[in-house]
């Protein structure tokens, strides 16, 4: 059974600092890994999708890496802003069961 | 991408009643899913909505409690039946265009409070 873990559970940084969010998964048989952002009481916004054959994806200030063999992904957010405050979720789409398994999320607060 | 419209966005319901949540997508999609997010928790998959056949439920979720319909490739409903306060959660619809190597998109969710 796939298990996804996100560390840390919460993170508070001053504005301008770079953010590093970690995600680990137990079963490396995945089709892809996806990072999402969730604002309080809202749905999920897709940030980055990394296919199993890729090592990283970039979008603006966001960069996500994937090491499938070790079961790890890292989301980097450069030069954080107060608007980056949200919960960030990673999810893996597994070959077994064709479904997304979510981590517990990292709650980020960027202080002005 | 896919634009998902989920209704209602929130509701407050009496215990013992039922609520049907609608999910409408702006394009045909192969996969549609329903998730539950309990307060302070991550997302848990309830079921995969299959077009023209019975939904596939995850362990711990049953059709009598969470009946799902999917009459076509752009629409699905989830009903939360005989509600109790423990059903208070955010319910989210998700879609993907194909079964593999594809991006998942989510609706804005339905915030349900059962009193």
């Amino acid at each position: 059974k796939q298990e996804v873990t996100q560390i840390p559970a919460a993170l508070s940084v001053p504005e301008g600092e770079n953010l590093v969010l970690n995600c680990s998964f137990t079963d490396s048989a995945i089709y892809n890994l996806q990072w999402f952002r969730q604002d309080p009481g809202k749905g999920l916004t897709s940030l980055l999708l990394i296919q199993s054959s890729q090592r990283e994806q970039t979008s603006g200030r966001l960069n996500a890496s994937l090491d499938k063999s070790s079961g790890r992904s890292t989301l980097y957010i450069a030069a954080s802003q107060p608007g980056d405050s949200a919960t960030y979720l990673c999810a893996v789409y597994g070959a077994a069961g064709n479904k997304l398994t979510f981590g517990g999320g990292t709650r980020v607060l960027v202080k002005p | 991408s896919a634009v998902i419209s989920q209704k209602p966005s929130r509701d407050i319901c009496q215990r013992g009643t039922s609520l049907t949540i609608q999910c409408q997508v702006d394009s045909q999609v192969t996969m549609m899913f329903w998730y539950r997010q309990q307060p302070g928790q991550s997302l848990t998959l309830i079921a995969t909505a299959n077009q023209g056949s019975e939904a596939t439920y995850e362990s711990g979720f049953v059709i009598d409690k969470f009946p799902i319909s999917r009459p076509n490739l752009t629409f699905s409903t989830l009903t939360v039946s005989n509600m109790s306060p423990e059903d208070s959660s955010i319910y989210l619809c998700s879609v993907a265009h194909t079964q593999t190597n594809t991006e998942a998109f989510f609706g804005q969710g339905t915030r349900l409070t059962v009193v």
Side-chain angles (χ1 to χ4, degrees), chain A residues 26-57:
Chain A
T26 55
D27 185 352
S28 61
I30 63 170
Y31 288 126
N32 60 49
L33 182 144
Q34 204 165 345
W35 283 93
F36 296 90
R37 169 186 172 135
Q38 186 177 31
D39 293 294
K42 303 294 186 182
L44 276 65
T45 299
S46 178
L47 297 174
L48 289 168
L49 171 73
I50 310 176
Q51 305 290 358
S52 61
S53 59
Q54 296 176 318
R55 298 285 291 183
E56 67 175 344
Q57 278 287 343

Side-chain angles (χ1 to χ4, degrees), chain B residues 31-93:
Chain B
M31 310 296 288
M32 294 185 79
F33 307 92
W34 287 99
Y35 289 83
R36 180 176 74 181
Q37 187 176 30
Q38 295 176 300
Q41 303 295 315
S42 190
L43 279 73
T44 301
L45 180 64
I46 297 172
T48 302
N50 300 308
Q51 192 260 329
S53 64
E54 191 172 288
T56 304
Y57 290 85
E58 296 299 305
S59 175
F61 297 96
V62 295
I63 188 172
D64 290 346
K65 176 66 177 177
F66 297 102
I68 288 170
S69 78
R70 189 177 175 192
N72 55 52
L73 293 176
T74 63
F75 185 79
S76 178
T77 66
L78 167 74
T79 298
V80 186
S81 303
N82 188 25
M83 289 183 285
S84 66
E86 291 71 34
D87 294 320
S88 297
S89 296
I90 298 175
Y91 292 86
L92 296 126
C93 171

Side-chain angles (χ1 to χ4, degrees), chain A residues 67-82:
Chain A
D67 184 342
K68 198 174 77 164
S69 61
S70 67
R72 295 183 180 183
S73 177
T74 301
L75 177 66
Y76 301 89
I77 304 178
S80 62
Q81 304 168 358

Side-chain angles (χ1 to χ4, degrees), chain A residues 14-31:
Chain A
E15 182 177 1
E17 193 166 299
N18 297 332
L19 288 164
V20 180
L21 308 179
N22 297 299
C23 172
S24 62
F25 48 95
T26 55
D27 185 352
S28 61
I30 63 170
Y31 288 126

